[in-house]
Amino acid sequence: MNTFTQTTSSTDFTAIKNMSLGTLIRDRLLTMIMSGELVPGQQLKEPEIVEEFQVSRIPVREAFRQLETMGLVVSRKNCGVNVRELTDKEVDDLYAFRSLLDGFAGQQICMRPKHERKALAKKLSALCDQMDQLIELDDKKAYYSTNLEFHWCFIAALGNAEIEKSYREIIQKLHLARFKNLKSVEHRRKSNEEHKLIARALLDSDSPKDLQQCAALQSEHVSRALGRLREK
């Protein structure tokens, strides 16, 4: 059974029956980029993908176009298609935008009723405990995934589809720099200690000052993540 069959066989048919073959291939390639199976700079060889998925070149090229629109691959004449490598400026800009969204999410969630904040803080604390365990296991991939889930909890709680869309696009692009970040156990420990401070601030926020503190911690965490990324 090839990779494409394995990916789609467990998926609810009602969710994919109206999707084009190109979109299905795009989603599979996207998963490979997000997991690190395909790394920045790596060439996506059309003949190999055609063979792997047992399809014609047309849907593969459609998948490439969609990934290029998403900013995840680049197509150059006579050079083929490669997973995109972000410049330092692009990474800085993406982190700045993410910092704004995370800070806004923290501010807005702190304005919710205390029972809602408490429920979210409890979930976040559980994720922090899970990340502590993954740090000890030195499971970078699982830690990274749980780390994303932690931050997504704030964004999802907003219930704003446009913010979710923008945030998802930022995170997808920042995956292209993921192997340079959280690269050491010490980095992961520092990151998770910051997560714990955010969860605690969310639970304790009862005044405008607390509100500002939670939002500030969210933004500062993103800035420190960029600093860790820049460390040699």
Side-chain angles (χ1 to χ4, degrees), residues 180-204:
K180 297 179 183 178
N181 204 358
L182 302 173
K183 56 189 174 184
S184 71
V185 170
E186 186 59 28
H187 282 184
R188 278 170 264 149
R189 286 201 177 106
K190 288 179 180 178
S191 177
N192 204 32
E193 288 305 311
E194 292 163 16
H195 292 150
K196 293 173 185 177
L197 290 175
I198 292 169
R200 194 173 304 125
L202 176 64
L203 181 62
D204 295 339

mmCIF file of all heavy atoms in Angstrom, residues 180-204:
data_model
loop_
_atom_site.group_PDB
_atom_site.id
_atom_site.type_symbol
_atom_site.label_atom_id
_atom_site.label_comp_id
_atom_site.label_asym_id
_atom_site.label_seq_id
_atom_site.Cartn_x
_atom_site.Cartn_y
_atom_site.Cartn_z
ATOM 1 N N LYS A 180 15.505 24.870 13.773
ATOM 2 C CA LYS A 180 16.496 25.732 14.396
ATOM 3 C C LYS A 180 16.028 26.186 15.780
ATOM 4 O O LYS A 180 16.803 26.757 16.541
ATOM 5 C CB LYS A 180 16.752 26.958 13.513
ATOM 6 C CG LYS A 180 17.340 26.611 12.150
ATOM 7 C CD LYS A 180 17.527 27.873 11.329
ATOM 8 C CE LYS A 180 18.052 27.566 9.939
ATOM 9 N NZ LYS A 180 18.195 28.779 9.108
ATOM 10 N N ASN A 181 14.758 25.975 16.064
ATOM 11 C CA ASN A 181 14.207 26.433 17.340
ATOM 12 C C ASN A 181 13.937 25.227 18.236
ATOM 13 O O ASN A 181 13.784 24.112 17.766
ATOM 14 C CB ASN A 181 12.914 27.225 17.108
ATOM 15 C CG ASN A 181 12.627 28.178 18.257
ATOM 16 O OD1 ASN A 181 13.365 28.232 19.239
ATOM 17 N ND2 ASN A 181 11.561 28.929 18.145
ATOM 18 N N LEU A 182 13.862 25.457 19.527
ATOM 19 C CA LEU A 182 13.638 24.399 20.502
ATOM 20 C C LEU A 182 14.642 23.266 20.276
ATOM 21 O O LEU A 182 14.341 22.090 20.457
ATOM 22 C CB LEU A 182 12.189 23.866 20.395
ATOM 23 C CG LEU A 182 11.086 24.911 20.590
ATOM 24 C CD1 LEU A 182 9.722 24.307 20.297
ATOM 25 C CD2 LEU A 182 11.111 25.501 21.981
ATOM 26 N N LYS A 183 15.852 23.644 19.829
ATOM 27 C CA LYS A 183 16.823 22.649 19.397
ATOM 28 C C LYS A 183 17.520 21.946 20.540
ATOM 29 O O LYS A 183 18.116 20.890 20.361
ATOM 30 C CB LYS A 183 17.866 23.308 18.485
ATOM 31 C CG LYS A 183 18.581 24.496 19.118
ATOM 32 C CD LYS A 183 19.422 25.228 18.094
ATOM 33 C CE LYS A 183 20.026 26.489 18.688
ATOM 34 N NZ LYS A 183 20.771 27.252 17.674
ATOM 35 N N SER A 184 17.472 22.535 21.731
ATOM 36 C CA SER A 184 18.145 21.913 22.874
ATOM 37 C C SER A 184 17.150 21.697 24.007
ATOM 38 O O SER A 184 16.101 22.338 24.075
ATOM 39 C CB SER A 184 19.293 22.800 23.356
ATOM 40 O OG SER A 184 18.785 23.963 23.989
ATOM 41 N N VAL A 185 17.520 20.791 24.885
ATOM 42 C CA VAL A 185 16.682 20.536 26.065
ATOM 43 C C VAL A 185 16.528 21.812 26.883
ATOM 44 O O VAL A 185 15.435 22.116 27.392
ATOM 45 C CB VAL A 185 17.301 19.411 26.920
ATOM 46 C CG1 VAL A 185 16.583 19.303 28.270
ATOM 47 C CG2 VAL A 185 17.225 18.082 26.186
ATOM 48 N N GLU A 186 17.609 22.580 27.000
ATOM 49 C CA GLU A 186 17.564 23.821 27.773
ATOM 50 C C GLU A 186 16.583 24.815 27.164
ATOM 51 O O GLU A 186 15.833 25.491 27.887
ATOM 52 C CB GLU A 186 18.958 24.439 27.863
ATOM 53 C CG GLU A 186 19.032 25.662 28.775
ATOM 54 C CD GLU A 186 18.621 25.352 30.209
ATOM 55 O OE1 GLU A 186 18.779 24.199 30.654
ATOM 56 O OE2 GLU A 186 18.124 26.278 30.880
ATOM 57 N N HIS A 187 16.555 24.909 25.850
ATOM 58 C CA HIS A 187 15.598 25.790 25.188
ATOM 59 C C HIS A 187 14.169 25.360 25.489
ATOM 60 O O HIS A 187 13.294 26.196 25.745
ATOM 61 C CB HIS A 187 15.822 25.766 23.673
ATOM 62 C CG HIS A 187 16.984 26.598 23.246
ATOM 63 N ND1 HIS A 187 17.316 26.790 21.925
ATOM 64 C CD2 HIS A 187 17.906 27.302 23.953
ATOM 65 C CE1 HIS A 187 18.384 27.566 21.829
ATOM 66 N NE2 HIS A 187 18.758 27.889 23.049
ATOM 67 N N ARG A 188 13.937 24.076 25.446
ATOM 68 C CA ARG A 188 12.581 23.572 25.707
ATOM 69 C C ARG A 188 12.177 23.805 27.162
ATOM 70 O O ARG A 188 11.033 24.136 27.450
ATOM 71 C CB ARG A 188 12.502 22.091 25.337
ATOM 72 C CG ARG A 188 12.287 21.862 23.840
ATOM 73 C CD ARG A 188 12.447 20.411 23.440
ATOM 74 N NE ARG A 188 13.805 20.187 22.943
ATOM 75 C CZ ARG A 188 14.471 19.050 23.065
ATOM 76 N NH1 ARG A 188 13.921 18.032 23.693
ATOM 77 N NH2 ARG A 188 15.683 18.921 22.570
ATOM 78 N N ARG A 189 13.114 23.648 28.062
ATOM 79 C CA ARG A 189 12.813 23.904 29.482
ATOM 80 C C ARG A 189 12.451 25.375 29.703
ATOM 81 O O ARG A 189 11.472 25.688 30.388
ATOM 82 C CB ARG A 189 14.010 23.515 30.351
ATOM 83 C CG ARG A 189 14.197 22.011 30.509
ATOM 84 C CD ARG A 189 15.030 21.685 31.737
ATOM 85 N NE ARG A 189 15.144 20.242 31.903
ATOM 86 C CZ ARG A 189 16.250 19.526 31.648
ATOM 87 N NH1 ARG A 189 17.342 20.149 31.222
ATOM 88 N NH2 ARG A 189 16.272 18.224 31.837
ATOM 89 N N LYS A 190 13.246 26.260 29.117
ATOM 90 C CA LYS A 190 12.962 27.691 29.259
ATOM 91 C C LYS A 190 11.608 28.038 28.653
ATOM 92 O O LYS A 190 10.827 28.799 29.233
ATOM 93 C CB LYS A 190 14.061 28.511 28.575
ATOM 94 C CG LYS A 190 15.391 28.517 29.306
ATOM 95 C CD LYS A 190 16.431 29.333 28.540
ATOM 96 C CE LYS A 190 17.769 29.353 29.263
ATOM 97 N NZ LYS A 190 18.802 30.106 28.485
ATOM 98 N N SER A 191 11.336 27.485 27.490
ATOM 99 C CA SER A 191 10.064 27.744 26.814
ATOM 100 C C SER A 191 8.888 27.290 27.666
ATOM 101 O O SER A 191 7.901 28.014 27.824
ATOM 102 C CB SER A 191 10.048 27.018 25.460
ATOM 103 O OG SER A 191 8.808 27.202 24.807
ATOM 104 N N ASN A 192 9.005 26.117 28.262
ATOM 105 C CA ASN A 192 7.876 25.602 29.032
ATOM 106 C C ASN A 192 7.692 26.339 30.356
ATOM 107 O O ASN A 192 6.566 26.460 30.853
ATOM 108 C CB ASN A 192 8.030 24.101 29.288
ATOM 109 C CG ASN A 192 6.694 23.432 29.531
ATOM 110 O OD1 ASN A 192 5.666 23.850 28.972
ATOM 111 N ND2 ASN A 192 6.672 22.401 30.366
ATOM 112 N N GLU A 193 8.773 26.843 30.925
ATOM 113 C CA GLU A 193 8.620 27.672 32.124
ATOM 114 C C GLU A 193 7.829 28.934 31.789
ATOM 115 O O GLU A 193 7.019 29.411 32.598
ATOM 116 C CB GLU A 193 9.993 28.030 32.712
ATOM 117 C CG GLU A 193 10.712 26.864 33.375
ATOM 118 C CD GLU A 193 9.866 26.191 34.456
ATOM 119 O OE1 GLU A 193 9.313 26.915 35.319
ATOM 120 O OE2 GLU A 193 9.747 24.951 34.434
ATOM 121 N N GLU A 194 8.053 29.466 30.609
ATOM 122 C CA GLU A 194 7.281 30.632 30.152
ATOM 123 C C GLU A 194 5.815 30.256 29.935
ATOM 124 O O GLU A 194 4.905 31.041 30.239
ATOM 125 C CB GLU A 194 7.904 31.196 28.878
ATOM 126 C CG GLU A 194 9.281 31.821 29.109
ATOM 127 C CD GLU A 194 10.085 32.013 27.824
ATOM 128 O OE1 GLU A 194 9.476 31.956 26.728
ATOM 129 O OE2 GLU A 194 11.308 32.207 27.915
ATOM 130 N N HIS A 195 5.575 29.051 29.416
ATOM 131 C CA HIS A 195 4.193 28.574 29.267
ATOM 132 C C HIS A 195 3.481 28.549 30.621
ATOM 133 O O HIS A 195 2.318 28.941 30.740
ATOM 134 C CB HIS A 195 4.176 27.151 28.692
ATOM 135 C CG HIS A 195 4.636 27.055 27.275
ATOM 136 N ND1 HIS A 195 5.259 25.944 26.767
ATOM 137 C CD2 HIS A 195 4.559 27.938 26.250
ATOM 138 C CE1 HIS A 195 5.540 26.135 25.490
ATOM 139 N NE2 HIS A 195 5.130 27.338 25.156
ATOM 140 N N LYS A 196 4.183 28.062 31.627
ATOM 141 C CA LYS A 196 3.580 27.945 32.967
ATOM 142 C C LYS A 196 3.218 29.320 33.525
ATOM 143 O O LYS A 196 2.172 29.471 34.181
ATOM 144 C CB LYS A 196 4.536 27.216 33.907
ATOM 145 C CG LYS A 196 4.751 25.750 33.535
ATOM 146 C CD LYS A 196 5.847 25.120 34.388
ATOM 147 C CE LYS A 196 6.153 23.711 33.931
ATOM 148 N NZ LYS A 196 7.272 23.096 34.697
ATOM 149 N N LEU A 197 4.065 30.312 33.283
ATOM 150 C CA LEU A 197 3.770 31.676 33.737
ATOM 151 C C LEU A 197 2.518 32.218 33.044
ATOM 152 O O LEU A 197 1.696 32.900 33.669
ATOM 153 C CB LEU A 197 4.965 32.591 33.451
ATOM 154 C CG LEU A 197 6.226 32.367 34.280
ATOM 155 C CD1 LEU A 197 7.349 33.275 33.783
ATOM 156 C CD2 LEU A 197 5.950 32.611 35.768
ATOM 157 N N ILE A 198 2.367 31.913 31.763
ATOM 158 C CA ILE A 198 1.190 32.366 31.009
ATOM 159 C C ILE A 198 -0.070 31.717 31.571
ATOM 160 O O ILE A 198 -1.087 32.398 31.790
ATOM 161 C CB ILE A 198 1.354 32.021 29.514
ATOM 162 C CG1 ILE A 198 2.470 32.865 28.895
ATOM 163 C CG2 ILE A 198 0.041 32.239 28.759
ATOM 164 C CD1 ILE A 198 2.894 32.413 27.511
ATOM 165 N N ALA A 199 -0.026 30.417 31.812
ATOM 166 C CA ALA A 199 -1.194 29.709 32.355
ATOM 167 C C ALA A 199 -1.570 30.254 33.727
ATOM 168 O O ALA A 199 -2.749 30.440 34.037
ATOM 169 C CB ALA A 199 -0.905 28.212 32.441
ATOM 170 N N ARG A 200 -0.556 30.542 34.542
ATOM 171 C CA ARG A 200 -0.810 31.069 35.889
ATOM 172 C C ARG A 200 -1.406 32.473 35.819
ATOM 173 O O ARG A 200 -2.332 32.811 36.564
ATOM 174 C CB ARG A 200 0.504 31.086 36.683
ATOM 175 C CG ARG A 200 0.316 31.286 38.182
ATOM 176 C CD ARG A 200 1.638 31.123 38.908
ATOM 177 N NE ARG A 200 2.243 29.832 38.632
ATOM 178 C CZ ARG A 200 3.480 29.661 38.163
ATOM 179 N NH1 ARG A 200 4.251 30.722 37.927
ATOM 180 N NH2 ARG A 200 3.951 28.456 37.947
ATOM 181 N N ALA A 201 -0.880 33.297 34.915
ATOM 182 C CA ALA A 201 -1.396 34.660 34.773
ATOM 183 C C ALA A 201 -2.846 34.641 34.290
ATOM 184 O O ALA A 201 -3.657 35.472 34.710
ATOM 185 C CB ALA A 201 -0.527 35.441 33.798
ATOM 186 N N LEU A 202 -3.172 33.711 33.426
ATOM 187 C CA LEU A 202 -4.552 33.595 32.942
ATOM 188 C C LEU A 202 -5.495 33.247 34.087
ATOM 189 O O LEU A 202 -6.586 33.816 34.208
ATOM 190 C CB LEU A 202 -4.629 32.519 31.858
ATOM 191 C CG LEU A 202 -6.026 32.204 31.321
ATOM 192 C CD1 LEU A 202 -6.617 33.418 30.618
ATOM 193 C CD2 LEU A 202 -5.972 31.021 30.360
ATOM 194 N N LEU A 203 -5.077 32.345 34.930
ATOM 195 C CA LEU A 203 -5.911 31.923 36.053
ATOM 196 C C LEU A 203 -6.089 33.044 37.065
ATOM 197 O O LEU A 203 -7.169 33.217 37.643
ATOM 198 C CB LEU A 203 -5.271 30.712 36.733
ATOM 199 C CG LEU A 203 -6.043 30.116 37.922
ATOM 200 C CD1 LEU A 203 -7.403 29.596 37.477
ATOM 201 C CD2 LEU A 203 -5.226 28.998 38.571
ATOM 202 N N ASP A 204 -5.043 33.857 37.264
ATOM 203 C CA ASP A 204 -5.056 34.867 38.321
ATOM 204 C C ASP A 204 -5.545 36.241 37.865
ATOM 205 O O ASP A 204 -5.631 37.166 38.667
ATOM 206 C CB ASP A 204 -3.645 35.036 38.901
ATOM 207 C CG ASP A 204 -3.167 33.771 39.600
ATOM 208 O OD1 ASP A 204 -4.026 32.957 39.971
ATOM 209 O OD2 ASP A 204 -1.941 33.602 39.743
#
